[in-house]
């Protein structure tokens, strides 16, 4: 006699529901919490900036489509027992691919051949496993599957392995995600929020530093907070003027409008900033307000910070007087640089002193004397002075 056992049918439904819940939750969280910013960048690049990616709708539609793909696949192969979770392999593969394609588009290298070859290899192996699973399902003895039965745990394990595979194959690079999130926030004008992205991480790259400098300049804190972040670029990479760095989601025009001009041809950032500074010098000198910081153009702060990044403290000491009154109102890193310059040069062009900064400098000197070993000394100095220009100048 051939009939459907109600307990058996109900238990296979339980397996399908469990797998569906796990997939929907993982897919939505993966797309919304971990990949939303790079998917926004991908859509922006592919559409030429015409369309805008919405994180919630993108995650919902993506999850719905991938779940629909699984339902279509399962309607053909009908795996409902121990290996039902294998029907999610193509959907999981697309989850991994879409984020990997995003990184290759951003890197400007084009989509590599492996993006096409690897899925074909995976699908070929998957087809073999499906064939074996179908044969095993046909001869599998009828049994009832409880919530904690062996088939349930086998499916749970298969889903877990697929999730691990997506996390391994997808883009989980922290710095890349910092960059995409920072660009999204900059495009929305949320500059302070952008500065919190990866705030306590030591990982960074040239593009991320460029974005952070833009955000700092927007909140008038470039000279106050720049060296509180990892400096992982040289002065040639602080602006996208010569192709060494670039912005993908946040328009570069917004940066150039903020600085007051756009380079007519590729040139070094310092050269570009010098040209902007020369244009603005006259107006700045003839209208200096009571608080000196408000008179400084963004391009001038960029120029001064570029000199500090390049460790050109002699030129910095000569230039800073053009824009700032050398008093207690100077931004923190400018005070640190001038105190450093004053103590390093026997005949400084300017001699600057600030009570608190001078005391911190003496504390740094005393701390360094306590640790003869260079590695140990650097670690101790980083703990106490890692957010100062002194640490960058002397140890990085």
């Amino acid at each position: 006699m051939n009939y459907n056992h109600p307990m058996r049918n109900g238990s296979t439904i339980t397996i399908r529901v469990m797998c569906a819940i796990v997939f929907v939750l993982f897919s939505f969280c993966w797309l919304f919490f971990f990949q939303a910013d790079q998917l926004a960048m991908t859509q922006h690049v592919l559409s030429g900036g015409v369309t805008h990616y919405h994180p919630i709708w993108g995650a919902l539609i993506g999850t719905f489509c991938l779940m629909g793909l699984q339902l279509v696949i399962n309607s053909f192969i009908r795996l409902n027992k121990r290996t039902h979770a294998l029907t999610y392999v193509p959907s999981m593969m697309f989850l991994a691919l879409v984020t990997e394609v995003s990184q290759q588009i951003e890197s400007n290298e084009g989509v590599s051949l492996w993006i096409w070859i690897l899925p074909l290899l995976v699908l070929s192996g998957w087809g073999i496993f499906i064939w074996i699973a179908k044969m095993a399902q046909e001869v599998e003895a009828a049994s009832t599957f409880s919530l904690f039965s062996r088939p349930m745990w086998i499916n749970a394990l298969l889903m877990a392995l697929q999730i691990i595979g997506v996390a391994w194959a997808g883009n989980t690079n922290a710095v890349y995600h910092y960059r995409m999130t920072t660009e999204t926030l900059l495009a929305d004008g949320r500059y302070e929020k952008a500065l919190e992205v990866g705030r306590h991480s030591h990982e960074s790259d040239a593009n991320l530093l460029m974005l952070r400098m833009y955000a700092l300049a927007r909140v008038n804190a470039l000279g106050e907070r720049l060296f509180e972040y990892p400096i992982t670029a040289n002065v040639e990479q602080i602006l996208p003027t010569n192709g060494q760095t670039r912005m993908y989601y946040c328009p570069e025009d917004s940066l150039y409008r903020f600085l007051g001009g756009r380079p007519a041809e590729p040139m070094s950032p310092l050269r570009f900033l010098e040209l902007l500074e020369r244009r603005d010098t006259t107006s700045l000198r003839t209208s200096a307000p009571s608080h000196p910081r408000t008179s400084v153009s963004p391009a001038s702060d960029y120029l001064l910070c570029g000199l500090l990044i390049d460790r050109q403290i002699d030129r910095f000491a000569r230039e800073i007087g053009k824009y700032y009154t050398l008093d207690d109102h100077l931004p923190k890193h400018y005070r640190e640089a001038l105190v450093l310059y004053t103590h390093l040069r026997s005949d400084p062009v300017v001699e600057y002193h600030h009570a608190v900064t001078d005391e911190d400098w003496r504390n740094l000197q005393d701390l360094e004397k306590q640790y003869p070993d260079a590695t140990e000394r650097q670690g101790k100095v980083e703990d106490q002075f890692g957010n100062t220009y002194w640490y960058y100048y002397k140890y990085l």
Side-chain angles (χ1 to χ4, degrees):
M1 180 181 295
N2 183 21
Y3 63 92
N4 292 325
H5 194 289
M7 181 67 74
R8 183 185 172 201
N9 288 342
S11 55
T12 56
I13 290 175
T14 303
I15 290 175
R16 294 199 297 271
V17 170
M18 181 275 294
C19 291
I21 291 174
V22 170
F23 176 77
V24 168
L25 289 176
F26 171 71
S27 176
F28 181 83
C29 291
W30 181 256
L31 294 173
F32 181 73
F33 292 106
F34 296 100
Q35 307 295 336
D37 294 316
Q38 67 171 320
L39 290 173
M41 183 278 299
T42 302
Q43 181 168 320
H44 178 81
V45 171
L46 293 179
S47 68
V50 175
T51 61
H52 181 74
Y53 180 81
H54 193 283
I56 294 180
W57 282 110
L60 288 173
I61 293 173
T63 300
F64 177 81
C65 292
L66 293 175
M67 191 65 208
L69 174 63
Q70 185 274 334
L71 292 174
V72 171
I73 291 172
N74 190 55
S75 68
F76 285 99
I77 61 179
R78 296 188 179 279
L79 284 179
N80 296 320
K81 297 181 182 179
R82 298 174 187 270
T83 53
H84 173 71
L86 290 177
T87 60
Y88 287 88
V89 168
S91 297
M92 290 286 195
M93 185 184 68
F94 275 108
L95 269 181
L97 280 178
V98 70
T99 53
E100 180 61 25
V101 168
S102 298
Q103 185 176 21
Q104 295 198 22
I105 289 176
E106 183 271 341
S107 65
N108 207 29
E109 297 174 353
V111 179
S112 70
L113 190 60
W114 278 107
I115 289 294
W116 308 107
I117 295 178
L118 190 59
L120 293 177
L121 295 175
V122 171
L123 289 177
S124 299
W126 173 73
I128 295 173
F129 278 108
I130 289 294
W131 177 70
I132 296 173
K134 283 288 291 181
M135 292 180 60
Q137 181 173 269
E138 294 299 327
V139 300
E140 185 178 350
S143 61
T144 58
F145 302 153
S146 68
L147 183 61
F148 301 103
S149 64
R150 184 177 181 183
M152 180 68 76
W153 286 109
I154 290 175
N155 279 279
L157 176 61
L158 290 173
M159 292 299 293
L161 290 175
Q162 291 176 71
I163 289 173
I164 293 172
V166 172
W168 174 79
N171 179 16
T172 55
N173 182 275
V175 174
Y176 176 79
H177 284 278
Y178 293 157
R179 287 166 49 197
M180 294 301 103
T181 303
T182 300
E183 280 213 44
T184 302
L185 293 169
L186 288 177
D188 293 338
R190 302 166 65 187
Y191 306 115
E192 284 289 358
K193 189 72 174 177
L195 290 170
E196 292 300 315
V197 177
R199 180 71 179 84
H200 302 291
S201 173
H202 292 287
E203 297 180 276
S204 183
D205 65 6
N207 282 286
L208 182 56
L209 176 63
M210 176 195 66
L211 297 173
R212 284 171 169 167
M213 289 186 68
Y214 177 39
L216 287 168
R218 279 288 191 174
V219 298
N220 197 27
L222 198 54
E224 189 74 26
R225 296 159 55 186
L226 174 60
F227 293 93
E228 296 177 3
Y229 295 89
I231 306 299
T232 52
N234 57 51
V235 72
E236 294 297 314
Q237 298 168 312
I238 63 174
L239 288 173
T241 56
N242 56 5
Q244 293 193 28
T245 50
R246 52 178 303 198
M247 301 164 75
Y248 293 89
Y249 188 77
C250 180
E252 290 184 1
D253 284 343
S254 65
L255 170 59
Y256 290 129
R257 283 196 302 269
F258 176 66
L259 291 176
R262 186 183 185 95
E265 59 184 23
M267 65 179 66
S268 72
L270 279 186
R271 174 60 178 164
F272 171 62
L273 293 168
E274 288 167 356
L275 293 175
L276 290 179
E277 182 269 339
R278 289 176 188 173
R279 186 194 65 186
D280 297 337
T281 296
T282 302
S283 61
L284 289 175
R285 286 177 173 173
T286 58
S287 59
S290 58
H291 195 297
R293 293 191 63 183
T294 59
S295 67
V296 180
S297 69
S300 300
D301 262 332
Y302 260 95
L303 176 61
L304 293 173
C305 286
L307 295 175
L308 292 184
I309 290 174
D310 208 31
R311 294 181 174 84
Q312 298 186 45
I313 60 170
D314 292 281
R315 183 180 172 189
F316 171 83
R318 294 194 303 270
E319 296 286 335
I320 190 171
K322 298 178 182 179
Y323 317 108
Y324 286 92
T325 302
L326 303 185
D327 56 17
D328 291 349
H329 294 294
L330 277 177
K332 182 183 74 170
H333 297 314
Y334 297 168
R335 298 197 307 267
E336 293 167 349
L338 286 177
V339 167
L340 173 67
Y341 169 78
T342 299
H343 286 85
L344 288 183
R345 300 294 182 259
S346 58
D347 186 23
V349 293
V350 295
E351 187 169 342
Y352 179 81
H353 294 284
H354 180 269
V356 175
T357 311
D358 282 333
E359 179 64 25
D360 289 339
W361 172 258
R362 287 191 291 269
N363 292 336
L364 170 62
Q365 300 296 101
D366 293 340
L367 181 65
E368 289 179 321
K369 294 175 183 177
Q370 297 176 25
Y371 300 95
D373 180 75
T375 302
E376 185 180 12
R377 181 169 60 249
Q378 180 174 352
K380 295 297 182 180
V381 171
E382 183 180 10
D383 289 340
Q384 297 188 36
F385 297 94
N387 62 348
T388 66
Y389 179 67
W390 301 326
Y391 178 77
Y392 169 78
Y393 185 90
K394 300 183 73 173
Y395 293 96
L396 298 180

